[in-house]
Structure formats: C-alpha cells, structure tokens
C-alpha cells in the first residue's frame, strides 16, 4: 500500500506532546480554564478547613489520575485570590531525601524566611530552624550540609553534635523523637509562634501534600509519622492528596500482605473527602478541545462531523473500559501523535482510529490477532461492546464502528459475505421498532458500503496509524 508522504501543517507546528497543565492566572477567580467545574467544591471546603479546630489532617481522595493535583492547584489559586496563605509540597519530587522532614521544613522556610527577623514570628522561626537538626536523622545532616536545602541555615555546633552521634541513633524515627522530647516541645512552641505570621483574618495555615501514594512506601510512612508527631500544633491543617487503595497496597509492601493498610491510615487522617469524579464526557470534550486537535477539524461541516464522532467514540469506550482521567490522557496523547502524522487533506476516520487505539491498549492479544486475521471481527465487536448483544442500550458510535469493521473484510476472500449475513440474521430476530433491530440494520447498511468506500484499504491505513505509537509508553 502506498505510504503517505505529505506532511500536515499541524505536524509542522511546535506543540508540547504532554497535555498542558491548567493555566493559573494571578488574581483571577473563578479560573476560566476549569473545565471540570471544581469551583463549588473548593469554595465549600475552604471555610471548613480555615475555621476548623487544628491540628487537622484531611485526606483528599480520588483514584489514580483522578485530578487531585489539578484540584490542589485550583484550590491554592482560590486561597491566594482571597488573601490567604497556603503551602504545597509534591513529595514524589522529594522522596530522594533521607528524611521527609527536610522538604517540609524547606517549604515552611520559603514562606517564613520572608518575615522580618526582628519580628516575633521571624525570630521564632530562626530559632526553630536551629533546633531542626536534632529532629532530623543524623544521616540526613550531610544532605543539608551539601546544600540540598541550603535555605536552612542550621547552627553548625548542633550540626556537628548530631553528625558525631550518628552511630548512637537507633530504632525507628518515632523512637528518635521520644529521646529528644524537650527539643521536640521547644520546636513545636517556636513553630506555633512563627504561625503568627499568618494574615490577621486567617485562622489556620493549610499545607497541601501531593503525590503521597507515588512515593517510596517507607518514605510515605515516615512523612505521615512526621506530620502526626511533629506538626500536630494549633492552626496547622494538612491536606493529603491520596489514592487510599494504592497507598494501602504500598504499606502492605512494607508490613506484609496481611497488614491492614486502611486502618493504619486512620491513625493519621482525621477527615476524608472524596473528590467528585467528573463526567467522562465533560472531561473528554475538554481535553479534545486542545488547539492542535481543534485546528484539524476546523473548516467545514464534514470535519465537524468527524470531530463529533471522535467525541462519541472516545466517551463510549472510556466508559466501557472504566478509564480514569490519566488513562484518558494517555490515549489522547497517542491520538495527538497520530493526528500530527496525517496529511491535512486525508480523512482521520476517528471512530476506527479510537476503537483500535483502545483495543490495542485494553487487549493487545486480540488486537494482534485481528491485525493478522480480520475474520475475528465479530469477536472484536463484542469485546468492544462489553456485553451480550441482547442486553442494554447502545452508544450511537457502536453501530458505526461495528459496520466499518465488518465492511473492511475483503469480498474477494469471501469473508465479507459470511459476516454480512450474520448481521442480517441478527437484525431479523427483532421487531423493527426494537433498538437492537435498528443497531443491526445500521451495521448492515454501513458494512454494505453503499457509499462506495474501500473498507479493506481504510482498515489497513488505520492499523498503520495506530502502530506509529505502538512502541511509545506514554506517561502523563
């Protein structure tokens, strides 16, 4: 088959292949780019946490890829726009540290070091920093000295004392705390005084902890223990963005398969909030509205119809396979790579392109078999449908995808007639007003290729396009 050599105008443009992060504009609320309408959740949660009796830890729960990081960024935007201070730490980016206390202190230092040292809050923080080495693992002092968190100007005498006693520190991190109770109490008192730097109308400081469930299990556990035993002070609220199931499995990796990770987490989390999962359709429509995708479908009514089919097929199959937001992002990334490779004047056939991308992702074995032998097309169709034909309702994209796949069989080999007859017989089992009759008739009509399209050539072309990204393990 002839290879496409024309280069599309879209592919010549420089675009970022990763889906762009939500744009945050200083001083703007609500965020005009909040396509998932998180505004109400954020505005309702904020007064609860700002006015809660602290210390408090809230677990912000959502599945992996459920939008927790974006929610935190929006929440911080809202707080900033309303004159509140909040801090944020992505612990996955800092789990190379020996002790999670270091990045926590660094985040606090970024804010509190802006306070005037002659003021009460500034003086308290400077004293608290000098006590910090007594609370940090001896093995972590070298990292501080090397400048990993150079903003923390530790007292050298204390640093030396801790470093020289490295061999004397035994047991877990909580045992180490207990051996230095007076230092711990002094640090908490000083940090409490430092929180007086909060704006006059702000009762509590909210610290967001993101990506906890992606950290090394031991690091996640130590961070939770640090928060519970060192930062349990007035006016301090932590929001932990977690996938409880994933984090529980990580804890089992440390403590064993019989360990009850969920009960363990209850020791650290006071309140739980389940982040609302956005509708698949709303999310897909938002992500497919990216400029490089939109540009491809602008211009005439026919291209707009292709775009509508792309959305319908993407929504149907995302719901069928229960894709979370991150999985949808990965598929859209692959789709964007393919779109960039297709010449401007060529049809995308978005229904089949999406269906085969999903098939290769969800069942690579069936995809390979279908690629080599189109006679298993009915197995592919029923797999994509996800249930018996007699059950339930159908996405309007289903008969289009099924009809094109059946029509792609070669008449010369005699396969098309056999499967075409199958859908005729299936149609005749139902009354004409029955939806199943209408769907089977639609499949039969499309498979008959009454518009004269070359189904065999089309399906091979789509296979080639899908396999452009076959070796790309996209992570977003």
């Amino acid at each position: 088959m002839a290879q496409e050599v024309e280069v599309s105008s879209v592919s010549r443009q420089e675009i970022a292949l990763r889906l762009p992060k939500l744009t945050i504009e200083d001083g703007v609320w609500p965020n005009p780019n909040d396509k998932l309408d998180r505004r109400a959740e954020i505005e309702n949660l904020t007064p609860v946490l700002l006015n809660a009796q602290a210390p408090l830890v809230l677990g912000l729960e959502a599945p992996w890829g459920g939008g927790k990081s974006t929610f935190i960024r929006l929440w911080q935007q809202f707080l900033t726009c309303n004159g509140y201070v909040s801090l944020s730490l992505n612990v996955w980016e800092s789990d190379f540290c020996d002790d999670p206390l270091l990045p926590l202190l660094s985040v606090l230092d970024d804010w509190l070091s802006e306070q005037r040292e002659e003021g009460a809050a500034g003086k308290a923080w400077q004293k608290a920093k000098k006590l910090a080495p007594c609370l940090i693992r001896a093995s972590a002092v070298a990292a501080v000295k090397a400048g990993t968190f150079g903003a923390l100007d530790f007292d050298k005498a204390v640093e030396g004392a801790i470093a020289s006693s490295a061999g004397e520190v035994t047991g877990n991190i909580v045992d180490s705390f207990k051996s230095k109770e007076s230092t711990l109490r002094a640090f908490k008192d000083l940090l409490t005084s430092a929180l007086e730097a909060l704006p006059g109308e702000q009762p509590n400081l909210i610290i967001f902890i993101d990506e906890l469930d992606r950290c090394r299990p031991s690091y996640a556990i130590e961070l939770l223990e640090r928060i519970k035993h060192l930062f349990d002070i007035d006016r301090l609220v932590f929001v932990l963005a977690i996938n409880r199931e994933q984090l529980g499995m990580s804890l089992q990796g440390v403590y064993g398969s019989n360990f009850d990770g969920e009960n363990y987490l209850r020791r650290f989390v006071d309140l739980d909030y389940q982040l609302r999962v956005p509708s698949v359709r709303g999310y897909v429509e938002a992500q497919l509205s990216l400029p490089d995708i939109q540009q491809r479908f602008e211009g005439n009514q026919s291209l707009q119809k292709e775009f509508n089919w792309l959305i319908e097929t993407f929504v149907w199959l995302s719901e069928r396979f229960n894709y979370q937001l991150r999985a949808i992002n990965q598929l859209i990334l692959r789709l964007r790579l393919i779109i960039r490779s297709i010449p401007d004047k060529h049809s995308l056939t978005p229904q089949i392109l999406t269906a085969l991308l999903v098939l290769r992702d969800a069942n690579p074995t069936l995809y390979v078999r279908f690629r080599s032998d189109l006679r298993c097309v009915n197995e592919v169709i029923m797999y994509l449908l996800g249930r018996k034909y007699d059950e339930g309702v159908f996405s309007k994209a289903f008969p289009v995808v099924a009809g094109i796949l059946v029509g792609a069989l070669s008449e010369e080999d005699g396969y098309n007639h056999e499967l075409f007859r199958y859908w005729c017989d299936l149609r005749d089992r139902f009354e004409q007003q029955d939806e199943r009759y209408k769907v089977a008739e639609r499949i039969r009509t499309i498979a008959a290729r009454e518009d004269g399209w070359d189904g065999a050539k089309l399906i091979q072309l789509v296979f080639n396009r899908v396999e452009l990204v076959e070796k790309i393990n996209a992570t977003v």
Side-chain angles (χ1 to χ4, degrees):
M1 187 171 61
Q3 298 293 315
E4 292 177 347
V5 295
E6 182 181 349
V7 179
S8 71
S9 61
V10 174
S11 68
R12 288 194 296 266
Q13 294 178 3
E14 247 182 68
I15 63 168
L17 292 181
R18 287 180 180 267
L19 295 180
K21 288 186 176 181
L22 185 79
T23 301
I24 300 294
E25 299 180 35
D26 293 340
V28 176
W29 185 265
N31 189 311
N33 300 308
D34 175 19
K35 305 298 184 183
L36 302 182
D37 194 22
R38 297 294 196 187
R39 174 183 180 180
E41 284 184 283
I42 289 169
E43 293 182 356
N44 289 334
L45 277 171
T46 297
V48 173
L49 297 191
L50 285 179
N51 298 300
Q53 183 174 355
L56 180 72
V57 177
L58 173 77
L60 180 67
E61 296 188 37
W64 189 71
K68 299 184 291 296
S69 297
T70 299
F71 188 83
I72 285 175
R73 295 182 67 228
L74 281 169
W75 200 344
Q76 283 203 282
Q77 181 185 21
F78 171 73
L79 290 169
T80 301
C81 288
N82 286 274
Y84 297 118
V85 173
S86 67
L87 307 178
S88 180
L89 173 64
N90 184 321
V91 290
W92 190 50
E93 295 176 351
S94 64
D95 77 346
F96 61 88
C97 294
D98 187 68
D99 189 328
L101 180 55
L102 282 169
L104 276 171
L105 292 174
S106 182
V107 166
L108 282 164
D109 192 62
D110 287 342
W111 167 53
L112 288 169
S113 289
E114 297 175 358
Q115 309 304 314
R116 295 174 60 87
E117 291 190 16
E118 59 269 25
K123 286 180 179 179
W125 177 240
Q126 296 305 317
K127 291 178 181 178
K129 285 199 297 182
K130 291 182 178 181
L131 292 176
C134 296
L135 305 172
I136 297 174
R137 284 183 174 182
S139 56
V141 174
V144 179
K145 189 174 180 64
T148 304
F149 293 92
L152 299 178
D153 184 18
F154 294 133
D155 183 88
K156 294 189 179 296
V158 178
E159 176 188 312
I162 294 299
S164 65
S165 62
E168 301 174 9
V169 179
T170 60
N172 63 33
I173 204 165
V174 178
D175 293 334
S176 179
F177 281 163
K178 289 182 178 179
S179 69
K180 304 178 180 68
E181 285 185 333
S182 60
T183 303
L184 178 58
R185 285 195 300 270
F187 179 83
K188 287 182 176 182
D189 290 343
L190 289 168
L191 183 55
T192 299
S193 297
L195 291 180
E196 293 298 324
L198 287 169
E201 300 300 318
Q202 181 172 343
N204 295 330
L205 172 66
I206 301 176
I207 301 180
F208 297 98
I209 306 293
D210 196 14
E211 304 281 21
L212 185 62
D213 42 32
R214 298 180 72 182
C215 293
R216 290 181 288 111
S218 59
Y219 189 82
I221 292 169
E222 290 170 7
L223 178 68
L224 291 172
E225 290 179 342
R226 285 302 204 188
I227 290 172
K228 179 176 177 62
H229 296 287
L230 185 57
F231 292 94
D232 56 331
I233 63 175
D234 292 345
R235 304 185 71 183
L236 201 52
V237 173
F238 283 88
V239 175
L240 309 179
I242 56 174
N243 176 342
R244 184 176 288 269
E245 180 182 359
Q246 184 63 43
L247 186 54
M249 291 173 61
S250 296
L251 297 179
Q252 285 182 338
V254 176
Y255 291 112
S257 58
N258 294 325
F259 180 73
D260 189 343
E262 290 207 13
N263 275 329
Y264 181 80
L265 287 174
R266 290 192 180 98
R267 293 175 49 198
F268 304 101
V269 179
D270 302 304
L271 296 175
D272 294 311
Y273 180 79
Q274 189 69 44
L275 190 61
R276 175 181 59 84
V277 178
S279 73
V280 171
R281 178 172 293 276
Y283 189 75
V284 167
E285 288 179 349
Q287 296 304 328
L288 291 179
S289 297
L290 293 166
D292 55 306
I293 296 179
Q294 280 289 306
Q295 181 179 335
R296 182 57 192 251
F297 294 97
E298 292 174 350
N300 59 56
Q301 189 174 5
S302 175
L303 291 175
Q304 186 57 49
K305 286 181 179 178
E306 279 201 347
F307 182 68
N308 293 338
W309 279 120
L310 173 61
I311 290 176
E312 289 301 324
T313 310
F314 227 107
V315 170
W316 159 43
L317 292 173
S318 295
E319 291 176 340
R320 150 72 180 101
F321 290 100
N322 194 30
Y323 280 144
Q324 301 300 322
L325 304 189
R326 196 179 299 270
I328 292 173
N329 288 348
Q330 290 173 335
L331 285 172
I332 291 176
L333 173 56
R334 290 181 172 93
L335 178 68
R336 294 172 74 205
L337 287 169
I338 292 172
I339 288 177
R340 282 166 56 88
S341 74
I342 300 175
D344 290 341
K345 297 178 183 179
H346 290 233
S347 172
L348 287 172
T349 321
Q351 310 95 316
I352 303 304
L353 182 55
T354 303
L356 291 185
L357 273 171
V358 170
L359 179 64
R360 189 176 67 84
D361 176 74
N363 193 335
T365 301
L366 181 56
Y367 172 86
V368 171
R369 188 150 55 88
F370 184 47
R371 178 75 165 94
S372 60
D373 184 1
L374 296 182
R375 286 173 294 181
C376 67
V377 63
N378 274 352
E379 184 179 349
V380 170
I381 290 170
M382 293 308 174
Y383 178 75
L384 293 176
L385 182 59
R387 52 181 168 75
K388 294 180 180 179
Y389 186 77
D390 286 353
E391 300 172 356
V393 296
F394 300 85
S395 163
K396 66 181 181 180
F398 168 72
V400 178
V401 169
I404 294 175
L405 292 180
V406 172
L409 292 167
S410 170
E411 284 185 349
E412 313 162 347
D413 295 332
Y415 303 146
N416 185 65
H417 175 74
E418 174 188 338
L419 285 161
F420 182 78
R421 185 70 252 167
Y422 170 86
W423 289 98
C424 291
D425 293 343
L426 185 62
R427 173 201 62 181
D428 293 341
R429 285 173 45 196
F430 306 103
E431 300 292 333
Q432 290 192 16
Q433 68 273 18
D434 193 298
E435 184 189 9
R436 292 163 294 184
Y437 173 93
K438 296 175 182 177
V439 170
E441 171 63 13
R442 179 72 170 142
I443 292 172
R444 188 206 66 80
T445 301
I446 294 173
R449 295 180 289 185
E450 294 175 353
D451 294 333
W453 54 277
D454 188 338
K457 181 178 179 181
L458 183 149
I459 195 71
Q460 293 302 323
L461 181 59
V462 175
F463 274 127
N464 291 341
R465 288 170 175 170
V466 168
E467 285 157 18
L468 280 172
V469 293
E470 181 175 6
K471 296 182 179 180
I472 295 178
N473 182 21
T475 56
V476 292

